[in-house]
């Protein structure tokens, strides 16, 4: 799933290429992807792009007050083309969800692999009318997100586990499964540690790990083509998706906890005092 660093990289990529460009046409291939009806997609035609920004994992293209907003979900991606084909899209065929073409014939396709179809597209005059954006927590890379902000959020989360709190978009916007694993590994904290049980030193370490991990991921993506962002993300991860490999910090074997539809990875030596965490899915089967 694209998370904040990848979406931020897409924002910067599109911001450079779309400045001053106008929408020539927007075509919908997956009708289930469009979550709004007023204004229609056709309202974007002829409007000039004024800005490209991010709300958590949502990407927002503002064209003279009409916003094309999309969330790539778990299996979505954006494919940029310097020159678009004139062939019309065929609705319902393959991974295509939407195509946007601009006045210089450049543009992008939104695609989604698999069958779940969770990629979401919105056309609105106000991003806050998108329910999930209106409910987002603060952005961890915003200058106003301080150690005091994090301390308050962790206190309000009570005994909720750190992993879940970092992933909850209503608490902190933009962090998903992969970077929550990376942040907790860098901070040397167990993913199951209760949020309100951290010491002052642990909160300070978590704050620094969050800021540094996300900033480093964005920096690694600078100058890369869109097609290379996924590969860069995977190569830059130290623990997430690396079950059975050696921890690059201590050399211990990276372990995993599996859930119904996801998993987390961690280093026992770095994060849990050498103890293996129970596999929640297996534990339920054994009961």
């Amino acid at each position: 799933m694209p998370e904040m660093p990848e979406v931020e990289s897409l924002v910067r990529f599109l911001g450079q290429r779309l400045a001053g460009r106008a929408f020539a046409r927007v075509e919908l291939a997956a009708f289930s992807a469009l979550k709004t009806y007023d204004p229609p997609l056709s309202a974007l035609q002829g409007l000039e792009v004024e800005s490209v920004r991010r709300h958590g994992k949502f990407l927002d293209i503002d064209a003279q007050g009409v916003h094309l907003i999309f969330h790539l979900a778990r299996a979505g991606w954006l494919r940029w083309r310097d020159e678009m084909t004139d062939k019309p899209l065929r609705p319902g065929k393959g991974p295509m969800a939407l195509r946007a073409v601009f006045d210089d014939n450049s543009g992008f396709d939104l695609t989604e692999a698999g069958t779940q179809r969770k990629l979401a597209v919105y056309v609105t005059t106000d991003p806050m009318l998108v329910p999930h954006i209106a409910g987002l927590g603060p952005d961890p890379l915003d200058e106003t997100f301080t150690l005091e902000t994090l301390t308050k959020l962790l206190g309000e989360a009570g005994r909720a586990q750190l992993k879940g709190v970092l992933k909850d978009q209503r608490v902190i916007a933009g962090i998903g499964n992969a970077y929550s694993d990376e942040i907790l590994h860098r901070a040397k904290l167990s993913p199951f540690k209760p949020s309100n049980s951290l010491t002052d030193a642990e909160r300070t370490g978590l704050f620094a790990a969050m800021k540094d991990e996300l900033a480093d991921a964005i920096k690694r993506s600078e100058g890369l083509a869109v097609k290379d962002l996924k590969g860069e993300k995977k190569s830059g991860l130290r623990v997430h998706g690396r079950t059975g490999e050696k921890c690059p910090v201590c050399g211990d074997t990276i372990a995993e906890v599996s859930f119904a539809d996801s998993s987390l990875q961690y280093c026992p030596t770095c994060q849990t005092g050498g103890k293996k965490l129970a596999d929640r899915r297996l534990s339920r089967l054994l009961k």
Side-chain angles (χ1 to χ4, degrees):
M1 174 186 290
E3 298 179 32
M4 179 223 284
E6 293 76 51
V7 177
E8 179 65 27
S9 296
L10 289 174
V11 165
R12 297 181 184 187
F13 178 92
L14 292 176
Q16 293 174 353
R17 284 156 179 79
L18 298 184
R21 298 263 67 90
F23 280 96
R25 67 181 191 275
V26 183
E27 301 175 70
L28 186 66
F31 295 106
S32 61
L34 185 61
K35 307 302 180 184
T36 56
Y37 62 90
D38 185 23
L41 274 177
S42 59
L44 291 160
Q45 188 170 339
L47 298 184
E48 184 176 305
V49 174
E50 295 182 337
S51 67
V52 183
R53 60 177 300 197
R54 176 180 59 78
H55 312 277
K57 301 177 191 176
F58 290 81
L59 196 150
D60 175 3
I61 301 174
D62 179 0
Q64 296 178 254
V66 179
H67 299 255
L68 175 64
I69 297 173
F70 52 89
H71 188 290
L72 294 169
R74 176 172 292 186
W77 194 240
L78 181 148
R79 302 180 186 278
W80 176 264
R81 301 181 189 278
D82 290 328
E83 187 172 347
M84 276 292 189
T85 177
D86 292 330
K87 292 182 179 179
L89 290 181
R90 297 180 63 187
K93 298 293 182 180
M96 285 290 300
L98 178 140
R99 172 169 291 163
V101 183
F102 298 89
D103 55 4
D104 63 348
N105 205 38
S106 67
F108 61 81
D109 292 334
L110 297 183
T111 63
E112 185 173 20
T115 59
Q116 290 194 337
R117 297 294 180 258
K118 293 187 176 182
L119 184 148
V121 177
Y122 308 81
V123 180
T124 180
T125 55
D126 181 359
M128 290 301 111
L129 293 176
V130 177
H132 293 297
I133 291 180
L136 286 174
D139 192 299
L141 288 186
D142 194 288
E143 292 182 357
T144 62
F145 192 100
T146 63
L147 176 58
E148 289 70 27
T149 305
L150 179 61
T151 299
K152 181 175 183 291
L153 294 173
L154 293 175
E156 292 173 347
R159 293 192 58 78
Q161 295 170 347
L162 277 177
K163 170 78 175 180
V165 170
L166 291 182
K167 287 175 55 182
D168 190 338
Q169 301 303 292
R170 298 165 299 179
V171 179
I172 300 173
I175 300 171
N177 197 31
Y179 287 106
S180 57
D181 282 351
E182 297 299 300
I183 289 166
L184 291 170
H185 177 253
R186 185 181 285 225
K188 299 185 182 301
L189 292 171
S190 168
F192 292 163
K193 190 175 182 68
S195 296
N196 63 359
S197 70
L198 272 64
T199 65
D200 289 346
E202 288 174 332
R203 282 194 296 270
T204 300
L206 178 61
F207 177 76
M210 184 183 303
K211 292 278 191 177
D212 292 345
E213 188 65 40
L214 296 173
D216 288 351
I218 293 171
K219 187 175 182 179
R220 290 196 304 268
S221 299
E222 286 181 357
L224 293 181
V226 168
K227 63 182 179 63
D228 297 323
L229 289 176
K230 282 186 179 181
E232 192 289 320
K233 174 184 178 180
K234 187 174 182 180
S235 66
L237 299 176
R238 297 182 305 278
V239 292
H240 183 78
R242 299 193 179 278
T243 304
E245 299 181 23
K246 287 186 177 181
C247 170
V249 175
C250 71
D252 193 4
T253 301
I254 295 169
E256 176 177 305
V257 177
S258 297
F259 302 94
D261 59 354
S262 65
S263 64
L264 65 83
Q265 286 77 42
Y266 67 99
C267 170
T269 295
C270 290
Q271 296 175 252
T272 59
K275 296 180 180 179
K276 287 281 190 74
L277 299 173
D279 188 307
R280 297 306 172 91
R281 184 172 57 183
L282 182 60
S283 297
R284 287 199 299 270
L285 291 174
L286 292 176
K287 286 182 180 179

